[in-house]
Amino acid sequence: MTRTRTALLLTTVVALLAGLVVYAAFATRSPDFDPPTPLEAAAPQGLESFYTQKLSWSDCYTGGHCADVTVPIDYADPDGATTQLRMVFYPATGDATRSIFVNPGGPGGSAIDYAGQMKNDLGKQVRDAADVIGVDPRGVGLSSPLTCLPAKKFDAYAASDPDPDDAAEIAASRASFTAMGKACEANSGALAAHVSTVEVARDMDVVRALVGRAKLDWFGASYGTELGAVYAELFPGKVGRMVLDGAVDPSLDSVESSFAQNEGFQRALDAYAADCVKSDACPLGTDAKAGVAKIAALMDQLDAAPLPGVGDRKLTEGLAFYGIAVTLYDQKSWSYLSQGLAAAFKGDGALLVQFADVYFDRKPDGSYGSNSGQVINAISCLDNPGGLTLADVEKQTPRFVKTSPVFGRALAFGALGCSDWPIESANPLPTIDGKGAPPIVVIGTTRDPATPYESAEALAKQLDSGVLLTRDGDGHTAYASGNACITKAVDGYLADGTVPKVGTTC
């Protein structure tokens, strides 16, 4: 996860390419739904009204049950303003003994959408005993959303040069990032300063109590691993069975976080190229190394002269950055990348523009289906406030470019991002060890582009009870990737508490 102006959404891209179902539409409440009963256990002092609030449930059209939860905008001021969270609840298919909360990452991905997917992906033995719950984090999705730039201005931001070349371009890029933060503050008020991961983790504890669970079982993917790890740090005694898939290393600063992703995406691009050149139809030719150089040359060309794209929207270097990156999240998307590159090499940028639109959830009519492309910056910069100078970043750039000629310059400059965010954070990420929590399963995929395998190794070591589970493969995250060994290990842990053997590789 990059905490930068080139931040990459950590979510399941094949699902995005296929089009996600919206799981949050309301109907009337089914008469045979027995709502969960809140715990009577003592709530944290001053927060009693939130931990014991009465929820009003309605049926979602997909078969789940939906409710709104009220939480304080600022936990330091529980008597002050509040915000709304929306959640979906899928009851267990048997006699429920637990509830598994799920989160797909981002930050900015919809947990409500993800729950609709995970209720089908989790094994029968898991679903027989466990409800599946998705809570859109504060500021995200169907919870009271953070509102920042209007669509047209965000279009310009997304298409802007990710690696500005001179003083004027650098100043303009930095100013645009600051302007986004000011827009969040102007349009969303106090909420803009209170969408940190620490506060989201505290929200999850409120919902845990409201659905009547003494322990929080958790399946977090990508940034959802960081959210889970923060919960374990804040509430170690309330952790149940926790799985962190496609793990983030929360200990990294902005430069090293960007560099880790730089390595991850280049590793994935190299794997794609090596696979592509085996085909006679590969747009990269017959040599993988030369093919990657061809992509790097395309990025340079786009920096100087964007290609025709969709309507009056051109394929800029910025949109190509996202359009290429989004297809590396899943090996099943590599064929899309080949199509997009083949067209771009012939002077047609339309497909890569459309892929970038998928990444940002931009609709054909120019609207955005979610605020994910903007809220990621708000959350990331509250978690990891900036402090870098331009000189710091320029010093690091050669190392980035040497590792990745395609992504390096953009990700190096992107590390500067949060230094320009105008909103002060009161809740930065804590140091995480989760001491006191039961075993936490951390999963890493060896050629994961967005959360490199090394990040999973690091998080498993940082967590006092971390257990590393390895998937040898391509793409972002491991569960539901078709790897039977991973499925067996995760389902076994979530169903009956069997912890994978240390050192297990699938």
Side-chain angles (χ1 to χ4, degrees):
M1 174 184 59
T2 55
R3 303 172 175 103
T4 71
R5 56 171 48 80
T6 47
L8 296 169
L9 297 177
L10 308 182
T11 189
T12 307
V13 168
V14 162
L16 289 173
L17 289 171
L20 284 171
V21 177
V22 175
Y23 294 99
F26 285 91
T28 57
R29 196 181 97 188
S30 171
D32 59 359
F33 172 53
D34 186 16
T37 303
L39 286 180
E40 294 182 1
Q45 187 174 2
L47 299 174
E48 292 86 355
S49 64
F50 300 104
Y51 274 76
T52 60
Q53 64 189 280
K54 182 176 177 58
L55 300 182
S56 177
W57 293 92
S58 297
D59 285 358
C60 302
Y61 289 124
T62 56
H65 310 283
C66 294
D68 288 327
V69 177
T70 300
V71 293
I73 285 181
D74 184 355
Y75 277 93
D77 182 21
D79 295 326
T82 61
T83 189
Q84 297 292 307
L85 312 176
R86 187 160 292 178
M87 64 177 291
V88 64
F89 180 99
Y90 291 100
T93 52
D95 294 329
T97 57
R98 298 187 319 283
S99 298
I100 299 174
F101 286 64
V102 300
N103 183 280
S110 171
I112 289 176
D113 286 345
Y114 194 53
Q117 172 188 328
M118 287 296 288
K119 71 178 174 65
N120 298 319
D121 287 343
L122 291 168
K124 181 180 185 300
Q125 67 271 40
V126 180
R127 288 291 288 118
D128 280 348
D131 313 312
V132 175
I133 296 173
V135 184
D136 276 359
R138 54 171 60 208
V140 171
L142 293 170
S143 294
S144 298
L146 192 69
T147 302
C148 303
L149 296 175
K152 283 290 186 183
K153 286 189 176 181
F154 187 69
D155 279 351
Y157 172 86
S160 63
D161 190 346
D163 58 331
D165 305 308
D166 56 41
E169 288 187 359
I170 290 171
S173 179
R174 299 186 70 175
S176 72
F177 196 71
T178 300
M180 181 187 293
K182 289 182 176 179
C184 295
E185 198 166 35
N187 293 319
S188 298
L191 182 63
H194 293 283
V195 291
S196 70
T197 299
V198 165
E199 289 159 310
V200 174
R202 297 192 69 174
D203 294 341
M204 295 303 113
D205 197 59
V206 172
V207 182
R208 172 199 58 76
L210 292 175
V211 297
R213 298 301 181 194
K215 302 285 186 179
L216 180 116
D217 285 11
W218 181 263
F219 186 102
S222 205
Y223 160 81
T225 67
E226 183 167 280
L227 177 52
V230 169
Y231 184 90
E233 182 63 28
L234 298 180
F235 306 103
K238 295 177 182 177
V239 173
R241 297 169 190 170
M242 180 171 282
V243 176
L244 308 178
D245 183 12
V248 171
D249 180 355
S251 72
L252 297 180
D253 63 21
S254 58
V255 169
E256 294 309 318
S257 178
S258 284
F259 188 73
Q261 202 162 60
N262 188 54
E263 289 184 306
F265 273 95
Q266 187 61 43
R267 189 180 297 155
L269 188 66
D270 289 340
Y272 155 74
D275 180 75
C276 180
V277 297
K278 297 174 184 176
S279 167
D280 292 338
C282 178
L284 304 182
T286 58
D287 181 85
K289 186 174 181 180
V292 171
K294 188 176 181 181
I295 299 172
L298 172 66
M299 299 296 277
D300 289 339
Q301 293 166 16
L302 293 171
D303 187 25
L307 290 176
V310 177
D312 60 356
R313 299 172 63 224
K314 293 184 178 296
L315 176 65
T316 63
E317 183 186 9
L319 290 179
F321 175 95
Y322 293 110
I324 293 171
V326 75
T327 62
L328 296 174
Y329 279 69
D330 195 303
Q331 188 174 4
K332 296 176 184 140
S333 300
W334 286 359
S335 61
Y336 293 109
L337 178 55
S338 290
Q339 294 171 42
L341 289 173
F345 291 147
K346 295 176 181 177
D348 180 359
L351 278 176
L352 289 181
V353 169
Q354 291 173 56
F355 296 164
D357 287 350
V358 168
Y359 176 86
F360 285 116
D361 198 13
R362 186 185 189 276
K363 306 304 181 185
D365 65 1
S367 65
Y368 285 83
S370 69
N371 65 351
S372 56
Q374 301 192 57
V375 73
I376 187 173
N377 295 308
I379 296 169
S380 297
C381 291
L382 292 179
D383 285 353
N384 291 273
L388 294 175
T389 66
L390 181 60
D392 293 331
V393 170
E394 289 176 336
K395 184 178 179 180
Q396 297 291 333
T397 299
R399 166 168 85 112
F400 277 71
V401 174
K402 181 179 180 180
T403 300
S404 177
V406 175
F407 302 110
R409 291 194 308 272
L411 286 171
F413 182 75
L416 184 63
C418 289
S419 298
D420 296 320
W421 195 252
I423 303 172
E424 185 175 349
S425 175
N427 295 281
L429 283 180
T431 300
I432 292 171
D433 62 26
K435 189 172 183 179
I440 296 174
V441 176
V442 181
I443 311 177
T445 293
T446 54
R447 292 178 295 282
D448 189 316
T451 51
Y453 179 69
E454 294 83 356
S455 294
E457 291 181 305
L459 182 58
K461 289 178 181 177
Q462 289 162 31
L463 290 167
D464 190 63
S465 59
V467 177
L468 181 65
L469 175 63
T470 300
R471 170 182 168 244
D472 183 7
D474 297 285
H476 184 41
T477 72
Y479 191 73
S481 67
N483 186 308
C485 169
I486 291 289
T487 300
K488 181 179 179 180
V490 172
D491 285 353
Y493 176 62
L494 292 176
D496 57 32
T498 303
V499 180
K501 183 179 178 180
V502 174
T504 297
T505 297
C506 295

